[in-house]
C-alpha cells in the first residue's frame, strides 16, 4: 500500500471519528472537558466509572473487555499493545484491573489526545501511554509486546495483511492476539448506514469469519479459543438503544454522542438492526503466534 493511499485512509478515518471538530474550532478534548465540568466532575481526578461512556466505544462496553481479558488470562507482568485504542478505555481497564503495562495506538489524533488526558486524570498515566500511528507501521521495536489487544478496529483497516505482519513483528515468540471484532454475517444485503465505525462504505472493511481466521492463520497466528458472541452483543445494543431513545441530554455524564454527534442514535439503531438481520456478527478470541 502506497503512502498516498495510507494518507487518504487516515484522512477518511479522522473525518469520521472527529467529525464534530470540523468547522467548529473546538477540539474533541476541549469539548469533553467542558462536558465533564458541566457534569460536576473534577477534570483532573476522574474515575473509570465516570469516563466509561466515552472511552468504551465498542459493543459490550467494559463487560466485553473484561470477558476478553479473562479469556486471554492476562497477567500483570505482560506488556500489551492496544491497537485501535480510541480514547483509551480498554488500555486503562487492563492497567487498572490486570496490572498490565499498556501502549495504545490509534490513527485518529484527537482520540490519542483524549486518551492521554483521561489516563492522567484517572491516575493511570504511569501504566499507559499512547501514540498516533498507522497500525500497519508503528514506530515500536521488534518483539516489544507479549499481547496484541484489538477491539472493533480491524474493520477500519484496509491493509489487514500489513497490520497482521506488524503484529507478528511486535510480538515476542509465543505471544498472543486477543481480538474482539465485527465481521460480515451470512446476510449479504447492504449494511444499514451509518454505523459507529462508518458513515459510508469507504471506512468499512468487514471480513467474514472464515476470511478473518484464514488471514490470521496465514500470518502465523494459531487459534486457541474463538467464540461467536453476537447474541450477547445484540442484547447489549438493544438495551442501549432504549436508553438512547430517551436522549443523552438527560444523562448526568457525557456519552458517545459528544464524539459522534446526534447521528449516534441512528448509528446505534442501525447496528442493532444489522446484528438482528445477520448482516454482521461479533467474534472474540485468542490466537497464539506460532
Amino acid at each position: 500500500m502506497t503512502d498516498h493511499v495510507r494518507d487518504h485512509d487516515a484522512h477518511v478515518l479522522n473525518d469520521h471519528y472527529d467529525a464534530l471538530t470540523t468547522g467548529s474550532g473546538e477540539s474533541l478534548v476541549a469539548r469533553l472537558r467542558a462536558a465533564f465540568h458541566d457534569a460536576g466532575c473534577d477534570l483532573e481526578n476522574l474515575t473509570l466509572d465516570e469516563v466509561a461512556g466515552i472511552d468504551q466505544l465498542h459493543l459490550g462496553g467494559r463487560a466485553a473487555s473484561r470477558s476478553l481479558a479473562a479469556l486471554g488470562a492476562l497477567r500483570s507482568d505482560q506488556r500489551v499493545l492496544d491497537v485501535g485504542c480510541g480514547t483509551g478505555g480498554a488500555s486503562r481497564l487492563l492497567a487498572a484491573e490486570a496490572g498490565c503495562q499498556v501502549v495504545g495506538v490509534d490513527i485518529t489524533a484527537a482520540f490519542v489526545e483524549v486518551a492521554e488526558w483521561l489516563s492522567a486524570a484517572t491516575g493511570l498515566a504511569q501504566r499507559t501511554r499512547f501514540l498516533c500511528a498507522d497500525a500497519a507501521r508503528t514506530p515500536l521495536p521488534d518483539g516489544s509486546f507479549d499481547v496484541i489487544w484489538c477491539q472493533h478496529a480491524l474493520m477500519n483497516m484496509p491493509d489487514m495483511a500489513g497490520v497482521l505482519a506488524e503484529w507478528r513483528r511486535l510480538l515476542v515468540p509465543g505471544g498472543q492476539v486477543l481480538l474482539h471484532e465485527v465481521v460480515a454475517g451470512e446476510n449479504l444485503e447492504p449494511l444499514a448506514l451509518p454505523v459507529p465505525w462508518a458513515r459510508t462504505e469507504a471506512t468499512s472493511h468487514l471480513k467474514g469469519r472464515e476470511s478473518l481466521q484464514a488471514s490470521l492463520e496465514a500470518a502465523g497466528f494459531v487459534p486457541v479459543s474463538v467464540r461467536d458472541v453476537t447474541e450477547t452483543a445484540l442484547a447489549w445494543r438493544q438495551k442501549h438503544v432504549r436508553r438512547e431513545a430517551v436522549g443523552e441530554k438527560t444523562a448526568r455524564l457525557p456519552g458517545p454522542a459528544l464524539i459522534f454527534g446526534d447521528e449516534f442514535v441512528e448509528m446505534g439503531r442501525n447496528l442493532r438492526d444489522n446484528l438482528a438481520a445477520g448482516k454482521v456478527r461479533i467474534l472474540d478470541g485468542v490466537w497464539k503466534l506460532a
Side-chain angles (χ1 to χ4, degrees), residues 262-282:
D262 293 338
E263 197 174 17
F264 181 74
V265 174
E266 182 184 4
M267 290 176 172
R269 287 198 303 263
N270 286 341
L271 178 51
R272 174 203 61 191
D273 294 345
N274 288 325
L275 284 164
K279 296 178 182 179
V280 297
R281 300 196 69 81
I282 312 300

Side-chain angles (χ1 to χ4, degrees), residues 20-27:
L20 295 188
T21 297
T22 304
S24 71
E26 181 183 43
S27 70

Side-chain angles (χ1 to χ4, degrees), residues 93 145 269 290:
L93 184 145
F145 296 96
R269 287 198 303 263

Side-chain angles (χ1 to χ4, degrees), residues 229-246:
V229 293
T230 304
E231 293 307 314
T232 300
L234 176 57
W236 186 89
R237 183 89 289 278
Q238 287 171 329
K239 179 179 70 175
H240 281 261
V241 163
R242 290 192 292 271
R243 289 182 182 178
E244 290 150 10
V246 176

Side-chain angles (χ1 to χ4, degrees), residues 12 16 156 191 193-195 197-205 263:
V12 169
H16 174 70
N156 275 144
L191 292 181
L193 294 170
V195 287
W197 69 89
R199 288 177 170 83
T200 69
E201 293 182 0
T203 50
S204 183
H205 303 282
E263 197 174 17

